[in-house]
Amino acid sequence: MISGREVLPLVEGGKGIAVSTGRSSGAWAAAGGVGTFSGVNADSYDENGNPIPVVYRGKTRRERQEELIAYGIQGGIAQARIAHEMSNGEGRIHMNVLWEMGGAQPILRGVLEGAKGLIHGVTCGAGMPYKVAEIAAEHGVYYYPIVSSARAFKALWKRSYHKHAELLGGVVYEDPWLAGGHNGLSNSENPQEPQDPYPRVRDLRAAMNEVGLTETPIFMAGGVWFLREWEEWLDNPELGPVAFQFGTRPLLTQESPISDDWKQRLLTLKAGDVLLHKFSPTGFYSSAVRNDFLNELCQRLEHEIPYASEPEGELTGELAIGARGRRVWVRPEDVARAQSWMAEGFTDVMRSPDSTLVFVTPERGEQIRRDQIECMGCLSACMFSNWAENEAGTTGKKADPRSFCIQKTLQNISHGGNVENELMFAGHNAYRFGEDPFYAGGFIPTVRQLVERIAMGD
């Protein structure tokens, strides 16, 4: 039982910015499962069915964020209507939002009001979404928090969820080492040392049982490919009711809106081609395909050194930077390294909030500054642009040149941008597209064919 109806325990994972759409989620629901469209800057369409370009005209970040919220509400309603029509009354339709996205609360409320009766549940992660229960209850829909540990669930339950327990439709356990997109690794967990999800989900179930949620399902998300590999999870009294969420596999379907180049790239991936990294302006770890975009971000870290304005501690080496040859102090061994980078053309020297210098080409430096200036407040707090949803409109820290404008690159790739030059989120099992005989010869199934295949164990 999910969101008030008996369905296949197969859930489409929500993927942001025009990747999980009404068409893909409606098709998943029509096949008898739970379809999830993204409520993160969703597309809306003109009278000819073409996506309406997202253009920001506001002169300030706050004005542009108001535009972003309006676009988000309009797009979310459009996707909900499409999903409802596509589902033919089957399955369930959920909307996915990121709690740390800019304007999360007004967008969620606006879409639920404008698409009343069309959305059965809300999934929400990327942060600690305390108020999602309250907002869901206001509109009579179920809510599904995304967590990566029993500890996170306990905090959410104690602070908020116990007040609206009747609408807690399920809890999504998102494996922080295997899932695509943003992941919930805590400071105490090593990104290089993956943990077995079974004991973590067992602990989550124990925490849920303690508060009477014995029949509330857990959605296992991240790393799920063949259900036959998860047999021990089925009808297991330690885990209770379990459903399985698929985020990466639905990318390669006929209803998936991603470009043909993106789909073909997925078929070529090898094990290890997905990188767990911390470049995101959210501050969270995330997983994406290693391509030229990520390689350039890795290069920035390779061209980074600590500095001070005056000699201090180990920073005793004098270095001249910039057109005016301003002096800074670095480690003696970094002087020659920095001079060699500048000789190679990395002459634009940018300061990070952590008192380091980052050496980039003038072209890259210009792009970074332009993207920071054009910030539209797509996050509640952004390391890259230093925007924050507070009275001051700033995090109070320097803008960080080691990150990037996530709104820009995700809009680009979801609307036909070059797959090598943009951020391409994917789960760590994406390499299995190339190994799974189901996709032999470049076969791309319909959503219904995929759901039927998954339900058989493969």
Side-chain angles (χ1 to χ4, degrees), residues 203-223:
D203 291 346
L204 173 59
R205 172 56 68 192
M208 293 170 64
N209 288 349
E210 287 176 7
V211 295
L213 300 174
T214 56
E215 296 305 310
T216 302
I218 293 174
F219 295 0
M220 174 60 208

Side-chain angles (χ1 to χ4, degrees), residues 364-401:
R364 182 66 64 187
E366 181 182 355
Q367 179 192 10
I368 290 171
R369 281 184 283 270
R370 184 172 63 250
D371 288 346
Q372 290 170 336
I373 291 169
E374 293 176 352
C375 172
M376 73 296 290
C378 74
L379 299 173
S380 61
C382 178
M383 295 166 50
F384 176 65
S385 69
N386 82 0
W387 155 265
E389 285 183 344
N390 55 30
E391 188 174 341
T394 175
T395 60
K397 299 180 180 180
K398 290 181 181 178
D400 196 333

Side-chain angles (χ1 to χ4, degrees), residues 21 54 63 119 208 266 278 294 332 349 369 389 425 451:
T21 62
V54 177
E63 289 173 348
I119 299 169
M208 293 170 64
L266 291 172
K278 205 174 183 182
L294 279 190
V349 185
R369 281 184 283 270
E389 285 183 344
F425 281 141
V451 170

Side-chain angles (χ1 to χ4, degrees), residues 261-283:
D261 286 346
W262 190 344
K263 292 178 181 179
Q264 293 305 312
R265 183 75 174 88
L266 291 172
L267 289 166
T268 68
L269 296 178
K270 305 297 182 186
D273 280 354
V274 173
L275 176 68
L276 179 61
H277 61 87
K278 205 174 183 182
F279 295 119
S280 172
T282 63

Side-chain angles (χ1 to χ4, degrees), residues 306-318 329-333:
Y307 83 100
S309 299
E310 299 292 338
E312 60 178 52
E314 64 176 354
L315 305 178
T316 58
E318 185 176 346
W329 303 89
V330 302
R331 293 177 301 206
E333 63 269 27

Side-chain angles (χ1 to χ4, degrees), residues 29-48:
V34 179
T36 309
F37 72 87
S38 173
V40 182
N41 308 122
D43 279 345
S44 51
Y45 307 95
D46 61 23
E47 62 276 9
N48 297 316

